[in-house]
Amino acid sequence: MSPLARPLLTLATVASLLAVLAFPGIRPHLVQASAGIGFGATTVVDDQRLGGEPDIKTCGPSATWSEGSCGLNNPYASIPWGFSTTTSYIWRSEDGGKTFRLVPSNNLTGKPDNCPGGGDTDLALSPAASQSQDSLLFEDLQGLTNISTGASSNGGATWVCNPISSFASAVDRQWLGLQGPLGGSGSVVYMDYDIADGAAAYPSTQCALGNGAAGNAFVIQTSTDGGVTFSPFTVVSCNDGIAGNIQVNQATHEVFAIHTAYANPATANTADTVEVDSSTDGGQTWTPHTVSACTPTATSDCTTGQDFAVLAIDKSGGLYAVWSQAPTDASGNINGPSHIYYSYSGNNAATWTAARQVDAGSTNVNLFPWVIAGKAGAIDIVWYGTAKSAAATGWDPGAQASNWYPYLSQSLNANTAAPTFSAPVAVAQHPNHYGGICTMGIGCTTGGDRSLADFFQVDIDQSGAARVIWADTSDNGASDASGNAGALIDEAQQVSGPTLFGTTLKGSAPTCAAVTSTPCASDPTGDARYEANGSIGPNVPKLDITGSSVGLDPADLSKLDVRLKVANLSSPPTTADLGADTGDLYADYLTSWNYHIPGDTDTQYDSTGNVYYAYLEVNLTTGALTAYDGNTCSLDSTKPKYLVYPGQNQIQYGINESTGTIDLYVPLKDVGNPPVGASLYSVTAHTVGQPGPAGPSNCPRLATGNNFDASGQLFNTYDKSAAYTAILNKPRS
């Protein structure tokens, strides 16, 4: 998101204002409803590539609902990687969301060839009976100059790319909406975005100030060939802060697009209104509907979005608008709490209920909301939240010095006059960020922490459960001068509590209490494959993980026993096993985890989280074996771009060829000295290949985080186990 999308929000030091007093038209949070919502282990989507604002799609449109077709229940995800790289990444899961890997088309870029971008991304999905027939549409922003789209009909193995999809320049924050399955009869793709005020393509005649214009122009384009080509843009609104997403009623084909706007266009300072525009003629003409608006005075106003207002549609066609809102002074400086609000429309956006506060409890700085709907009245809302820190002199989210979590709250009666919401539950197992969160888009490059970028998402799966994807800076990657750290992308699935389909889940998060002959995490055989450059290779049995366990070593409590089981360890793997076309000359049996000191702030090195690991490495040419442990380092350009696993300390290991078991004995002092009873999160076993040895490397720690390592290796992932939590219980004697 660009600085043209939001005015500058500076810090104002004033007393706290209660939301219900600052916004008298807003109703407070009501009695808590459904309880018992729980999430599984925090899953790292990609162990090397760093980014922010991830999106996730699991289901696609059916004849009656936008989330009605889920195929094999395999989610896809994407992130932008920065204008300077022109690159973005797309991942898919092949096991129902337990693990992720880059789509098969990847050639280290992780996206369609010849589709420049790196700015903002979005995905649309139409799942099929087999993943090789899933239809995808990917869009990517090119430095505010144009929008690329890439269409795939084989699950991301190959793409058809259009690098000039938009009919304008100085464009920003595009979103996709589908009418019908991609490529199906009567299918229409909708793409909305902003054109900057003052841009050469800005529709100045239509959007003259006398017509109520303010800020950007909110426009939409349509495609009838699955997103390969698009029509010229149609102006939706001339009063626009920043574009939000699109929903289509699959039964009636009515289209709805949400965005922020200005209550007083002539004196616009900060977006203080939420608007939904509707079209009944395929996007040719649009009718505006105000969802919620503040009333500016000479001394006060509010800001809406932070960063986006977002929209969901339920199975019955009910609409739900969600946004973050905070009071401001007349200059747009935030001077009170930021809360999450929603409003409901049961008549195709014609009218909306009074806004209601969703968040409750200890957080009072809340932003980046997203929403997904299920059966009539059932919605899940997520956001990043923290409590205003004592060190902060004001309420600006960018000024906080505190821990943030992604939260979820659910309502099963959000379409009624007296809706109730569940108590917010932390989706992540540990804080995902420490410090401030800047909400000024790329304006944050002049100062402010934009490590998480501008949003994250929740989606629904075929059971009605929530799938949440977010950015996580708890890897201690070294920051750049602006304070931006490298964020891994994490995902978690709902495993317990009510779903949006009216059913109840009764699962629990997987844990490992001890290393035994039975793995804590089992992994199916036959899935250790090289997938890149448009091809999917055969299974490699010697890299085929069957199980993973981590716990204290009963023979030496000063060490961890990191155990990995493989389908075939009768002999070390060779280049012939992996295939010459992979370029891999070394193979690693790698296990990684996140260690986070509970309840700490920033007083100890691991208090904001750190990624540790251990691996056994095989020289595929000579068969030589080495084993190392350590903490991650990073490859960087303007900030950390990749995590690498160079291995700081040589360690002991054991191999049992007959059982296919590798044991790595890791001194606790090498990996943060976790005490008895500590939890290691996101424990994941991997088998990877790379052209050079991972280590050893001299990668000393810096005051700002783990060091940069220019010699770090980028690896191909062959197999991964599902994530779990290892609890370091003292073994029984």
Side-chain angles (χ1 to χ4, degrees), residues 464-531:
R467 294 179 183 262
V468 185
I469 192 167
W470 68 96
D472 178 7
T473 61
S474 62
D475 54 54
N476 243 328
S479 336
D480 65 10
S482 69
N484 288 298
L488 289 166
I489 304 302
D490 290 345
E491 186 263 1
Q493 303 177 48
Q494 182 187 353
V495 295
S496 63
T499 74
L500 297 184
F501 291 165
T503 57
T504 300
L505 302 174
K506 297 182 179 180
S508 60
T511 60
C512 184
V515 177
T516 69
S517 58
T518 301
C520 290
S522 297
D523 191 71
T525 58
D527 60 347
R529 298 182 294 265
Y530 173 82
E531 298 188 9

Side-chain angles (χ1 to χ4, degrees), residues 124-141:
L125 171 65
S126 290
S130 68
Q131 191 163 36
S132 62
Q133 296 176 314
D134 284 352
S135 291
L136 291 164
L137 181 61
F138 172 73
E139 59 177 359
D140 202 356
L141 179 66

Side-chain angles (χ1 to χ4, degrees), residues 41 98 510-514 516-524 545-550 563-565 683-685 720-725:
K98 295 178 181 178
T511 60
C512 184
T516 69
S517 58
T518 301
C520 290
S522 297
D523 191 71
I545 299 168
T546 61
S548 172
S549 304
V550 173
R563 178 171 291 181
L564 189 151
K565 299 195 73 172
V683 181
T684 308
K720 290 176 71 172
S721 70
Y724 61 93
T725 300

Side-chain angles (χ1 to χ4, degrees), residues 452-693:
L452 308 180
D454 300 328
F455 68 91
F456 70 111
Q457 289 189 352
V458 59
D459 196 28
I460 194 173
D461 69 12
Q462 65 184 9
S463 72
R467 294 179 183 262
V468 185
I469 192 167
W470 68 96
D472 178 7
T473 61
S474 62
D475 54 54
N476 243 328
S479 336
D480 65 10
S482 69
N484 288 298
L488 289 166
I489 304 302
D490 290 345
E491 186 263 1
Q493 303 177 48
Q494 182 187 353
V495 295
S496 63
T499 74
L500 297 184
F501 291 165
T503 57
T504 300
L505 302 174
K506 297 182 179 180
S508 60
T511 60
C512 184
V515 177
T516 69
S517 58
T518 301
C520 290
S522 297
D523 191 71
T525 58
D527 60 347
R529 298 182 294 265
Y530 173 82
E531 298 188 9
N533 299 312
S535 67
I536 300 177
N539 179 56
V540 182
K542 292 179 182 179
L543 298 182
D544 192 0
I545 299 168
T546 61
S548 172
S549 304
V550 173
L552 290 173
D553 180 7
D556 185 350
L557 297 183
S558 70
K559 295 180 180 179
L560 296 175
D561 182 358
V562 177
R563 178 171 291 181
L564 189 151
K565 299 195 73 172
V566 182
N568 181 359
L569 274 183
S570 58
S571 62
T574 66
T575 52
D577 291 309
L578 276 65
D581 58 341
T582 68
D584 294 328
L585 300 177
Y586 293 80
D588 288 8
Y589 299 89
L590 168 72
T591 299
S592 61
W593 61 90
N594 184 292
Y595 175 48
H596 197 293
I597 299 175
D600 212 335
T601 55
D602 202 21
T603 57
Q604 299 185 51
Y605 193 79
D606 293 317
S607 60
T608 54
N610 205 357
V611 176
Y612 289 104
Y613 60 88
Y615 64 82
L616 175 73
E617 185 168 86
V618 182
N619 183 317
L620 298 176
T621 303
T622 67
L625 304 177
T626 53
Y628 285 88
D629 67 22
N631 56 262
T632 52
C633 299
S634 59
L635 299 178
D636 72 299
S637 55
T638 55
K639 65 176 183 179
K641 291 293 188 180
Y642 296 98
L643 289 188
V644 291
Y645 299 71
Q648 285 88 359
N649 313 291
Q650 195 161 4
I651 58 174
Q652 296 177 319
Y653 63 90
I655 299 175
N656 187 322
E657 295 179 353
S658 63
T659 62
T661 302
I662 299 169
D663 288 285
L664 304 175
Y665 301 105
V666 178
L668 296 176
K669 64 180 179 61
D670 291 354
V671 291
N673 273 317
V676 172
S679 293
L680 308 182
Y681 301 111
S682 304
V683 181
T684 308
H686 319 65
T687 49
V688 304
Q690 55 207 25

Side-chain angles (χ1 to χ4, degrees), residues 180-203:
L182 281 165
S185 176
S187 172
V188 180
V189 176
Y190 295 92
M191 177 174 68
D192 73 13
Y193 56 91
D194 297 315
I195 301 177
D197 188 6
Y202 186 82

Side-chain angles (χ1 to χ4, degrees), residues 11-39:
L11 182 65
T13 306
V14 294
S16 170
L17 298 177
L18 293 175
V20 293
L21 296 180
F23 312 118
I26 288 176
R27 299 182 183 182
H29 186 283
L30 294 186
V31 144
Q32 297 168 0
S34 52
I37 295 173
F39 285 85

Side-chain angles (χ1 to χ4, degrees), residues 45-65:
V45 172
D46 191 310
D47 301 274
Q48 292 206 287
R49 292 157 185 86
L50 304 168
E53 57 186 50
D55 55 66
I56 185 168
K57 299 293 184 295
T58 307
C59 303
S62 65
T64 57
W65 184 42

